[in-house]
Amino acid sequence: MKSRVNIKRVYEPAQKKDGYRVLVDRLWPRGVKKEDARIDEWMKYIAPSPGLRKWFGHQPERWGPFSRAYRAELKEAVEPVQKLADCIRQHSKVTLIYAARDEQHTHALVLHRFMEKYLENQNDMK
C-alpha cells in the first residue's frame, strides 16, 4: 500500500499534491511568513521535547540515540500521536512539514516511520 503521508521542508514551495499540510516542529520556522507556509495545522506537541531537541543539536553523530529517545517520547505521547493518526485517516494525503536543513537527520523522518507502524498496528487490531 502506498503511503498517504509524505514529509517536506517548509522552505520548499507548497503544492496541491501535498494535501493537508501539518507543521510538526515545536518552533515556528525562521524567516517564514504564516501566509506563505500554507500550513493547515500546527502540531507542535508531536515534536521532540525541548530538552531532546537541544541535546541533539542536529549533530549527525547523535542521530541513533536521538531517534531512539524520540521514539520513546512518541510512545508516551498518546494524545498527540492519536490526533495525528486521526488527521491522517481523515485526509487522503498528509504532508508532515519541518524546517531542519539536514534532510537525512530530521525528527520528521522518525515521526513518519513511527506513524506508519502505528497506523499499521491499529489496522491489524481491527
Side-chain angles (χ1 to χ4, degrees):
M1 181 176 111
K2 190 172 188 246
S3 177
R4 296 175 14 201
V5 181
N6 289 321
I7 62 173
K8 186 175 190 176
R9 288 190 73 222
V10 72
Y11 302 104
E12 295 175 38
Q15 298 174 309
K16 189 172 185 167
K17 70 178 183 176
D18 294 342
Y20 195 76
R21 293 169 51 91
V22 180
L23 179 62
V24 294
D25 283 349
R26 204 168 278 265
L27 304 173
W28 188 262
R30 289 183 189 157
V32 177
K33 293 179 183 176
K34 292 191 181 191
E35 58 272 10
D36 293 341
R38 292 197 31 221
I39 299 298
D40 294 301
E41 191 164 349
W42 184 8
M43 293 189 183
K44 61 177 80 172
Y45 297 108
I46 197 104
S49 65
L52 181 59
R53 180 180 59 80
K54 288 175 186 170
W55 172 82
F56 175 49
H58 300 286
Q59 296 178 39
E61 64 275 10
R62 293 183 176 175
W63 177 245
F66 168 79
S67 297
R68 287 187 292 277
Y70 182 39
R71 279 193 304 273
E73 285 186 355
L74 288 169
K75 287 177 184 174
E76 298 296 318
V78 176
E79 192 174 314
V81 167
Q82 189 59 53
K83 182 176 179 181
L84 182 54
D86 292 343
C87 176
I88 292 167
R89 282 190 208 94
Q90 182 181 357
H91 300 279
S92 59
K93 191 68 158 174
V94 173
T95 300
L96 306 178
I97 306 296
Y98 68 97
R101 277 190 206 125
D102 185 344
E103 296 179 33
Q104 304 302 312
H105 303 99
T106 173
H107 74 284
L109 283 173
V110 177
L111 178 58
H112 181 261
R113 290 181 194 132
F114 182 90
M115 292 308 299
E116 283 186 332
K117 288 180 182 177
Y118 180 85
L119 292 165
E120 186 178 295
N121 288 339
Q122 283 195 328
N123 286 338
D124 289 345
M125 295 173 78
K126 290 181 180 177

